[in-house]
Amino acid sequence: MSFSGPQFGLGLRKPHYQDFLETRVPVDFVEVISENFMVPGGRPRDILRRVRQDYPVAIHGVSMSVGSADGLRVDYLLRLRELIAEIEPFIVSDHLCWTRHGAHNSHDLLPLPYTREALDVVCANVGKAQDVLGREMLIENPSSYIAFADDEMSEWDFLAELTRRTGCGLLLDVNNIHVSATNHGFSSADYLAGIPFASVGQIHLAGHTQGQHCLIDTHDRPVPDPVWALLRDALARAPRAAVMIERDDAIPPLPELLAELAIARDIASQVVVPCA
Amino acid sequence: MRLSEMQGAFLGWLASGEDAAMRRLPLAKGAEHGLGVYQNNYRAALMACLADSFPQTLLWLGEGPFEAAAARHIERVPPDSWTLDDYASGFPASLAEDYPYDPEVAELARIELVLSQVFVAADAVPLDAGAMGAIDWDSARLQTVPALSILSLHSNAEEIWIALADETPPPEVGWGKEARPVLIWRQGFMCRLRSLDADEAGMLGYLSGDAIPFTDLCRDAAARWGEHSGIARIGQYLARWVADGLVR
């Protein structure tokens, strides 16, 4: 697997819609939250269509729930497939998590125990999603605040096995690595060493908040230094991965995000790729 | 613990917040603090969804009473859809239970719910006034656009909604035994709202399913109001419907 698409992008968020519609913003692509546009019609869908005329689009989901023990919702997959058919995104991604069980949806990215049973469930669900969508997906590593007593493997081993068994790619969120490593006391370097970087198609950058007892993945502030350092390490192993900044709260004016994206470009330009 | 059992127990704890439910979860040591983040995220997301979906209802009730009503709704009704937008759909019914003697509260919320649904309803090309002359009316079929809904209200909630949205003083609450139809639709990308009489509501309702032959519409109007008046009235309605982008 190799990736060589558009490389530096931003999340498309409401405060910046007009900027993207009225000017040529210097990004290589935008990423949108899939569910915000999985609607029959109206202004949101129209905006995405118009933005798509000028920018490659990655779509990033939060509700597929690939970790649900009772499987995926077919109505969700069909809606997503319809959006993909119209927008033709260059990346389709979702998270390694579960959001739903039975009829109860949490609307949060809930953590999985890293067990062989959970791996079987996730592999089956990702396989089914890729079959229905007719394309490869990227699965993002989550940030998490708890661990399970019955974990049987590390998160990176779980992800590596997932890619091997399903052929899916990875969306590596280096902020999530930092948050989870801090919260659970593992080494970010060990994490990166265990990731099959040939499968990494995209990298997410974001900021987090120090909570009372742990780091919280809030996406409400600039990318901090430890996350930039992880980007440097990740790009050394996946130099052509698409890199984007996620900002979902306290969203600043677009020039501030573009200045952050310039840092990512600068890091990428300085990265030394080790010889194979 | 099997994955399915853990997920059921986890969601049960998220909804209840009870310590006994938390103790069933197979967590690693020291996970209690991290669990609080998920509990907070769950309630904050649902509360934010309701506040964002019902801004004028929030204004009308005030922040404290709105949040109390939203908290009661979150306790009673767990979200069941993949899209958070759908969580708004049950809130008007909860408000009707919470405010049985203030019916305008639930009706305000119904207006806001329908506005949000119409906002993302399927697109359609409405009948163009400029193309009317070229239509063969003997074979033409009409139906309403998908982004259209008619509410039956007992209060003057639509007047209150308009005043709140315009940031002008809202009128006194009015209430009638007879329900009044209120039309909510999207024209282009703009959501609109107006009251209409029962006859016009009936005719629009007639067109809200499959496309109806225009000749059937005229026949129905003639039967209701007489040959001459019926046709004249359909002509008046049609002119307004076309101007408002209601039919295709």
Side-chain angles (χ1 to χ4, degrees):
Chain A
M1 196 179 306
S2 66
F3 297 94
S4 57
Q7 199 173 8
F8 296 97
L10 290 177
L12 180 68
R13 304 293 184 259
K14 269 185 197 168
H16 304 144
Y17 281 173
Q18 286 311 115
D19 293 299
F20 278 92
L21 292 173
E22 292 171 2
T23 63
R24 186 70 177 94
V25 178
V27 297
D28 302 331
F29 72 95
V30 296
E31 182 186 88
V32 299
I33 302 299
S34 318
E35 290 79 5
N36 291 348
F37 300 92
M38 288 163 61
V39 292
R43 190 185 292 278
R45 199 65 179 248
D46 178 69
I47 285 170
L48 183 56
R49 273 186 211 112
R50 287 158 62 199
V51 168
R52 178 67 185 90
Q53 290 172 4
D54 295 320
Y55 303 88
V57 170
I59 66 172
H60 183 52
V62 294
S63 292
M64 185 177 284
S65 196
V66 299
S68 278
D70 55 358
L72 304 181
R73 285 185 58 155
V74 173
D75 61 333
Y76 175 89
L77 290 178
L78 295 179
R79 281 274 192 109
L80 180 59
R81 186 169 73 178
E82 189 268 331
L83 179 69
I84 290 169
E86 179 175 4
I87 300 303
E88 298 181 339
F90 75 106
I91 285 174
V92 176
S93 63
D94 208 297
H95 298 81
L96 178 64
C97 71
W98 63 285
T99 62
R100 177 192 54 75
H101 182 70
H104 190 170
N105 202 314
S106 70
H107 297 290
D108 195 9
L109 309 175
L110 300 177
L112 281 163
Y114 294 128
T115 60
R116 282 183 286 277
E117 183 203 8
L119 181 61
D120 288 343
V121 165
V122 174
C123 287
N125 287 339
V126 169
K128 177 173 183 179
Q130 292 185 142
D131 286 347
V132 172
L133 301 178
R135 60 181 295 159
E136 175 197 275
M137 288 185 64
L138 302 189
I139 299 298
E140 177 179 345
N141 58 299
S143 55
S144 65
Y145 314 108
I146 60 171
F148 290 92
D150 50 357
D151 279 351
E152 295 170 329
M153 65 191 90
S154 65
E155 185 172 293
W156 53 92
D157 286 341
F158 193 99
L159 286 165
E161 188 61 10
L162 173 65
T163 62
R164 191 187 68 77
R165 284 169 55 176
T166 67
C168 75
L170 294 179
L171 192 175
L172 198 64
D173 187 316
V174 287
N175 177 58
N176 288 351
I177 294 175
H178 177 71
V179 167
S180 293
T182 304
N183 290 345
H184 303 308
F186 61 72
S187 153
S188 298
D190 287 348
Y191 196 110
L192 290 182
I195 289 294
F197 270 89
S199 298
V200 174
Q202 189 179 356
I203 296 172
H204 270 176
L205 296 163
H208 53 261
T209 302
Q210 177 63 61
Q212 193 178 357
H213 300 287
C214 58
L215 292 187
I216 304 176
D217 180 27
T218 46
H219 295 191
D220 63 349
R221 57 196 62 201
V223 178
D225 287 342
V227 176
W228 287 125
L230 284 174
L231 174 67
R232 192 181 310 275
D233 293 343
L235 280 175
R237 296 157 158 114
R240 288 300 303 155
V243 177
M244 65 84 65
I245 296 173
E246 283 187 303
R247 190 68 173 263
D248 296 308
D249 212 346
I251 296 173
L254 192 55
E256 284 186 34
L257 291 180
L258 290 170
E260 275 199 285
L261 196 61
I263 298 173
R265 290 182 198 272
D266 192 45
I267 288 172
S269 71
Q270 296 170 20
V271 159
V272 177
V273 180
C275 295
Chain B
M1 183 183 273
R2 300 282 295 175
L3 183 64
S4 178
E5 191 185 348
M6 184 282 286
Q7 292 181 338
F10 199 109
L11 286 181
W13 167 76
L14 264 189
S16 72
E18 290 170 358
D19 285 350
M22 183 183 78
R23 283 193 290 273
R24 290 190 59 215
L25 300 173
L27 301 174
K29 259 189 168 178
E32 294 77 12
H33 293 313
L35 271 181
V37 177
Y38 295 106
Q39 184 68 236
N40 184 60
N41 285 353
Y42 177 73
R43 284 165 201 286
L46 299 181
M47 189 65 80
C49 163
L50 295 178
D52 291 347
S53 302
F54 301 99
Q56 310 310 342
T57 310
L58 191 161
L59 263 182
W60 182 248
L61 279 177
E63 203 168 304
F66 182 90
E67 285 184 0
R72 286 191 294 274
H73 181 68
I74 292 167
E75 292 296 325
R76 287 192 295 233
V77 183
D80 63 0
S81 168
W82 55 264
T83 171
L84 193 52
D85 290 347
D86 285 349
Y87 191 61
S89 62
F91 193 48
S94 284
L95 288 173
E97 282 183 35
D98 286 354
Y99 290 92
Y101 303 112
D102 302 291
E104 86 286 357
V105 174
E107 292 193 343
L108 256 181
R110 285 175 62 205
I111 289 171
E112 299 203 273
L113 175 65
V114 171
L115 282 167
S116 67
Q117 292 167 338
V118 159
F119 182 68
V120 293
D123 299 321
V125 180
L127 202 54
D128 176 17
M132 301 271 282
I135 292 174
D136 174 6
W137 291 101
D138 287 338
S139 63
R141 301 172 79 90
L142 287 181
Q143 68 183 144
T144 54
V145 295
L148 177 152
S149 186
I150 298 173
L151 284 179
S152 291
L153 303 182
H154 286 274
S155 76
N156 59 338
E158 86 281 14
E159 295 171 2
I160 296 170
W161 185 89
I162 290 168
L164 293 170
D166 290 346
E167 299 182 7
T168 57
E172 291 286 314
V173 175
W175 173 253
K177 270 189 171 176
E178 293 290 315
R180 295 176 306 101
V182 170
L183 175 68
I184 296 177
W185 80 104
R186 193 180 81 225
Q187 188 167 22
F189 295 125
M190 186 72 75
C191 290
R192 301 182 60 189
L193 170 156
R194 70 169 164 90
S195 56
L196 69 175
D197 63 42
D199 290 338
E200 186 183 5
M203 283 289 137
L204 277 174
Y206 185 44
L207 298 176
S208 65
D210 293 336
I212 301 292
F214 181 67
T215 49
D216 287 5
L217 192 68
C218 292
R219 195 174 304 123
D220 189 81
R224 283 182 190 220
W225 301 303
E227 184 86 20
H228 184 71
S229 299
I231 302 301
R233 201 186 281 214
I234 286 295
Q236 289 166 5
Y237 284 153
L238 189 58
R240 178 148 200 199
W241 296 344
V242 170
D244 284 344
L246 302 181
V247 290
R248 55 179 168 158

